[in-house]
């Protein structure tokens, strides 16, 4: 048995437009819902926003230099919808300057031998569509997203062969409309927002996200793929769920956690229906699909896109519907913890959970897997000097463990994995956590916007050099 990954294995680093680009008003870009949300300083831990971020709109050539230096084969980045169509809608003008920016960017990647892996939607909806009809709550969005996707396929499809429609629809629906922690910040919690209904809106938004994904894929397959080839799919996020102990209630609870975090989207897309446990939990509040819609949705992803960071132990008895009404913990019955704690409270390192998750979803859904995000925020890294921060031992250990787990999943468990992207190339705007939490393999000094490779950047580069066949 080979102990390596095949030579066509794609690996690299990932980012997202709002988290790194800055230049919020440059060249005709209009605000997105994240500009609005983050400018309400009560929403972001350090009162920051993405106005400047890591300044990648201006420093993109430097970012590509870093990718080259680390030996990356590919770069996963997202396109800012409001740079391409500032007002967002299907009858609104396309912004040539926005097209030009990403076009130059893609050319520069290709010139350096780096494969562009493009996400269409990583959460930065044009604010104009939120104002016009309520964004993802309104099914108007389905056709507007399809049109935006079409403009991108037409403009970049000659050079981009790897497309993702949505990044983590669970986060869009739940964090945006359930907990109100992400833009547009709607929730039933009136301490956080005057508007929103957490019992219904996330499920409506989820349905529109699925339909918009499916329409964009159908368009790509009908009008673009026959001529230009390429692959298109969606990327979903989940933590792996392990029953806290072997009681039937807790085994059931762990399955419910998977059904809610991943099955909500994956079951319709790969299997053609919602998970039974979700229907049972929500009844009429889960808006179903018509038979025609199911025909559109089922089979609408060429691969399984996975973002995953951690594992939870799961017990029955919670009241948070978005986790499937379970209690999640890192603490085992014997009082020990699963792994090293990150800066992010929701994240501990547990490589074996990654391997188990890969096996689970390959068995359940049967699609080749692209791991489009995986990474670690080192505790208190934001408080360290640059000299200290670049020696990011906990992150190196995280990647060491998770990459070994990946290799075992491929070579021992037979999971068909096609790519791996570390999150993230750069420290960046970590949404509601602002700039304090750092996920980069490259340190960004926000005072000077200088970049400093961390030990983990070298580690990941070296690991793939040693583990991908020539
Ligand atoms: C990814 O989400 C994002 O795609 C990326 O933009 C981000 O920077 C990166 O991870 C690091 O966070 O306690 O209920 O709020 C990761 C998936 C799912 C992880 C939600 C945090 C919090 C659950 N995230 N989870 S909750």
């Amino acid at each position: 048995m080979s102990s390596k990954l095949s030579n066509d294995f794609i690996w690299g680093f990932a980012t997202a437009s709002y988290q790194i680009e800055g230049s919020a008003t440059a060249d005709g870009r209009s605000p997105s819902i994240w500009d609005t949300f983050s400018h309400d300083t009560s929403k972001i831990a350090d009162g920051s926003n993405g106005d400047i971020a890591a300044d990648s709109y201006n420093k993109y050539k430097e970012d590509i230099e870093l990718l080259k230096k680390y030996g990356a084969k590919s770069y996963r980045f997202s396109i800012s919808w409001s740079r391409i169509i500032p007002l967002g809608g299907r009858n609104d003008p396309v912004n040539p300057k926005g097209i030009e920016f990403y076009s130059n960017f893609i050319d520069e990647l290709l010139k350096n031998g780096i494969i562009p892996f493009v996400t269409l939607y990583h959460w930065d909806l044009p604010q104009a569509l939120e104002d016009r009809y309520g964004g993802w709550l309104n099914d108007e969005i389905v056709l507007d997203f399809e049109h935006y996707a079409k403009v991108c396929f037409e403009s970049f499809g000659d050079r981009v062969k790897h497309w993702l429609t949505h990044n983590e629809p669970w986060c869009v629906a739940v964090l945006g409309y359930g907990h109100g922690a992400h833009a547009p910040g709607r929730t039933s919690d009136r301490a956080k927002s005057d508007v929103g209904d957490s019992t219904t809106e996330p499920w409506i938004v989820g349905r529109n996200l699925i339909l918009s994904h499916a329409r964009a894929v159908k368009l790509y397959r009908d009008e673009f793929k026959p001529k230009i080839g390429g692959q298109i799919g969606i990327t979903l996020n989940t933590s792996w769920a392990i029953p806290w102990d072997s009681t039937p209630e807790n085994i059931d609870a762990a399955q419910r956690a998977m059904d809610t975090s991943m099955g909500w989207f994956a079951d319709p897309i790969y299997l053609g229906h919602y998970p039974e446990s979700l229907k049972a939990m929500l009844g009429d509040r889960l808006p179903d699909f018509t038979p025609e819609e199911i025909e559109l949705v089922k089979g609408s992803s060429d691969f399984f896109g996975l973002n995953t960071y951690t594992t939870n132990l799961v017990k029955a008895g919670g009241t948070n519907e978005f986790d499937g009404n379970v209690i999640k913990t890192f603490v085992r019955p014997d009082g020990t913890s699963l792994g090293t704690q990150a800066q992010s409270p929701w994240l501990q390192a547990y490589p074996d959970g990654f391997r188990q998750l890969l096996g689970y979803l390959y068995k359940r859904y049967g699609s080749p897997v692209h791991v489009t995000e995986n990474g670690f925020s080192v505790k208190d890294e934001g408080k360290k000097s640059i000299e200290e921060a670049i020696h990011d031992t906990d992150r190196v250990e995280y990647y060491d463990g998770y990459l070994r787990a990946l290799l075992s999943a491929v070579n021992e468990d037979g999971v068909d994995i096609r790519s791996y992207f570390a999150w993230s190339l750069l420290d960046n705007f970590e949404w509601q956590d602002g700039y304090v939490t750092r996920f980069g393999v490259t340190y960004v000094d926000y005072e000077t916007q200088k970049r400093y490779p961390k030990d983990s950047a070298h580690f990941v580069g070296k690991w793939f050099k040693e583990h991908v066949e020539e």
Side-chain angles (χ1 to χ4, degrees):
M1 198 187 312
S2 160
S3 59
K4 292 194 172 186
L5 299 164
S6 67
N7 66 349
D8 56 356
F9 191 90
I10 292 174
W11 72 274
F13 300 90
T15 59
S17 46
Y18 191 71
Q19 294 180 273
I20 64 162
E21 285 178 357
S23 297
T25 57
D27 297 332
R29 181 185 181 278
S30 69
S32 75
I33 55 173
W34 266 98
D35 295 81
T36 311
F37 188 74
S38 62
H39 278 256
D40 174 345
T41 49
S42 70
K43 305 291 186 193
I44 311 297
D46 57 2
S48 65
N49 57 56
D51 285 0
I52 299 171
D55 198 25
S56 286
Y57 191 75
N58 295 313
K59 294 175 101 72
Y60 75 87
K61 290 191 179 168
E62 251 183 71
D63 293 349
I64 293 172
E65 278 303 311
L66 286 171
L67 289 162
K68 248 185 102 170
K69 180 163 160 178
Y70 304 159
K73 277 200 199 174
S74 181
Y75 183 46
R76 176 178 172 235
F77 63 96
S78 81
I79 293 178
S80 155
W81 186 340
S82 57
R83 290 195 198 281
I84 303 290
I85 307 172
L87 298 176
R90 56 198 183 276
N91 298 312
D92 296 320
V94 171
N95 174 24
K97 289 274 191 195
I99 303 279
E100 191 186 321
F101 171 73
Y102 291 107
S103 191
N104 290 340
F105 183 70
I106 290 163
D107 285 344
E108 186 74 15
L109 284 171
L110 292 172
K111 204 171 89 190
N112 285 284
I114 297 167
I115 300 166
F117 212 110
V118 175
T119 312
L120 291 171
Y121 189 72
H122 202 127
W123 309 349
D124 43 359
L125 183 74
Q127 180 64 38
L129 297 185
E130 188 68 24
D131 297 340
R132 193 177 292 167
Y133 53 66
W136 291 108
L137 277 171
N138 191 316
D139 57 15
E140 278 292 309
I141 193 90
V142 174
L143 292 179
D144 282 346
F145 179 77
E146 182 191 31
H147 174 74
Y148 159 60
K150 182 175 185 174
V151 171
C152 291
F153 301 152
E154 280 167 350
S155 308
F156 314 124
D158 56 338
R159 289 157 290 161
V160 173
K161 305 300 167 192
H162 297 87
W163 295 95
L164 295 164
T165 53
H166 289 292
N167 179 73
E168 305 188 347
W170 184 95
C171 290
V172 175
V174 172
L175 303 178
Y177 298 80
H179 299 323
H182 278 191
R186 297 174 66 96
T187 173
S188 295
D189 180 350
R190 290 288 167 265
K192 281 197 192 153
S193 171
D194 296 338
V195 286
D197 180 350
S198 309
T199 67
T200 54
E201 290 183 359
W203 314 107
I204 295 166
V205 165
R207 184 174 175 282
N208 286 332
L209 287 161
I210 292 170
L211 290 172
S212 68
H213 148 80
R215 294 274 315 208
V217 170
K218 181 168 163 43
L219 176 82
Y220 189 78
R221 288 177 176 168
D222 289 351
E223 293 183 25
F224 293 89
K225 197 164 178 161
K227 282 173 275 173
I228 60 177
Q231 295 263 309
I232 185 162
I234 191 165
T235 201
L236 306 177
N237 62 290
T238 193
S239 306
W240 176 234
I242 297 181
W244 192 69
D245 61 18
S246 57
T247 58
E249 310 83 271
N250 291 341
I251 291 174
D252 229 47
Q255 183 59 48
R256 228 165 38 242
M258 293 307 297
D259 289 348
T260 319
S261 64
M262 173 159 280
W264 172 10
F265 299 96
D267 284 19
I269 289 171
Y270 299 96
L271 309 178
H273 52 77
Y274 282 126
E276 287 305 322
S277 72
L278 203 65
K279 291 194 228 170
M281 183 171 77
L282 299 172
D284 293 349
R285 287 187 291 127
L286 185 64
D288 217 334
F289 300 102
T290 65
E292 296 74 42
E293 286 169 345
I294 273 298
E295 205 174 310
L296 178 76
V297 167
K298 188 179 179 184
S300 61
S301 193
D302 291 338
F303 51 80
F304 199 105
L306 172 71
N307 288 356
T308 193
Y309 290 79
T310 196
T311 292
N312 291 121
L313 298 166
V314 172
K315 297 186 226 192
T319 54
N320 179 347
E321 283 189 337
F322 309 118
D323 290 338
N325 288 329
V326 303
I327 297 169
K328 291 178 164 181
T329 172
F330 291 122
V331 185
R332 298 186 182 90
D334 69 4
T336 59
S337 281
L338 282 183
T340 304
Q341 180 61 50
Q343 173 70 20
S344 313
W346 51 269
L347 174 50
Q348 286 193 359
Y350 189 65
D352 195 53
F354 181 41
R355 180 174 174 181
Q356 291 175 34
L357 171 61
L358 289 164
Y360 166 86
L361 62 89
Y362 191 54
K363 182 161 173 239
R364 185 175 174 100
Y365 301 111
S367 274
V369 181
H370 287 270
V371 180
T372 46
E373 279 180 33
N374 179 239
F376 193 80
S377 52
V378 174
K379 199 161 176 44
D380 295 330
E381 201 173 79
K383 293 185 191 154
K384 294 180 182 173
S385 67
I386 300 172
E387 199 36 58
E388 283 176 300
I390 58 172
H391 300 302
D392 53 343
T393 313
D394 285 357
R395 187 177 288 106
V396 169
E397 277 171 16
Y398 180 92
Y399 283 121
D400 187 26
Y402 276 68
L403 291 171
R404 280 175 208 253
L406 176 95
L407 197 63
S408 302
V410 172
N411 287 330
E412 292 170 49
D413 308 339
V415 182
D416 181 359
I417 305 175
R418 306 287 175 89
S419 73
Y420 176 92
F421 292 87
W423 182 273
S424 176
L425 176 66
L426 304 168
D427 290 337
N428 59 49
F429 178 69
E430 177 56 8
W431 308 113
Q432 72 271 40
D433 294 339
Y435 294 99
V436 175
T437 302
R438 293 172 176 264
F439 270 91
V441 298
T442 311
Y443 187 95
V444 176
D445 177 357
Y446 296 110
E447 297 293 316
T448 61
Q449 293 294 348
K450 270 192 75 163
R451 280 107 166 97
Y452 300 85
K454 301 179 193 173
D455 291 348
S456 57
H458 301 299
F459 177 83
V460 172
K462 186 162 170 279
W463 193 91
F464 279 103
K465 201 171 160 32
E466 288 169 2
H467 292 89
V468 178
E469 272 164 9
E470 295 282 327

